[in-house]
Amino acid sequence: MDYRFGRQYRLLKTDDFSSVFAFRNRRSRDLLQVSRSNGNGLGHPRIGLVIGKKTAKRANERNYMKRVIRDWFRLNKNRLPPQDFVVRVHRKFDRSTAKQARAELAQLMFGNPATGCRKQA
């Protein structure tokens, strides 16, 4: 298994983010919101992160949240469909709530309707 997180797995350009947001396919939980595209034609998933200063003022807090999300993606990318995902953090989480954030991310990324995810238009 390949557990690397190279450039090919990242959304880097503004156009990539805009194309995901244009699909308006979003699901939300308490801490996170995930937007997804219909497919990217690359054969593997890609991820982009949005964590604003309103969510966490300190850079080290934002960087910790990014590390947690990227690590989850790196370990689970082989099970995800070949789509583009944008993860937006609504509420700050830290070491004490990182387990909840990982669980929410799993529910949102795998898109299981039985988990009670709120779908937004």
Side-chain angles (χ1 to χ4, degrees):
M1 292 218 154
D2 178 23
Y3 290 116
R4 290 177 290 179
F5 186 64
R7 280 181 76 86
Q8 73 266 23
Y9 297 108
R10 301 177 191 174
L11 292 178
L12 299 172
K13 299 181 179 176
T14 304
D15 292 341
D16 296 336
F17 281 86
S18 298
S19 65
V20 174
F21 291 136
F23 280 104
R24 302 186 63 79
N25 186 0
R26 295 185 296 229
R27 293 186 184 272
S28 292
R29 299 285 292 173
D30 292 334
L31 300 173
L32 305 171
Q33 176 187 47
V34 174
S35 300
R36 64 174 60 209
S37 67
N38 285 340
N40 60 15
L42 298 173
H44 59 80
R46 296 189 301 173
I47 190 169
L49 302 174
V50 178
I51 303 174
K53 286 186 181 179
K54 286 184 179 180
T55 304
K57 295 200 183 314
R58 300 182 57 91
N60 63 328
E61 295 169 341
R62 294 192 303 274
N63 291 339
Y64 176 76
M65 291 186 275
K66 289 178 188 178
R67 263 195 318 273
V68 168
I69 295 168
R70 284 184 187 134
D71 188 56
W72 183 92
F73 178 80
R74 182 181 63 81
L75 296 173
N76 293 284
K77 68 183 177 198
N78 295 324
R79 298 178 6 195
L80 292 170
Q83 297 176 334
D84 291 340
F85 298 93
V86 175
V87 179
R88 181 178 286 169
V89 178
H90 281 296
R91 280 194 8 234
K92 181 173 81 168
F93 61 87
D94 55 10
R95 292 190 198 296
S96 63
T97 54
K99 187 174 181 180
Q100 177 188 354
R102 286 185 192 99
E104 285 186 14
L105 190 57
Q107 292 170 351
L108 294 169
M109 294 291 254
F110 292 123
N112 186 357
T115 59
C117 299
R118 297 185 306 263
K119 185 172 181 177
Q120 297 178 347

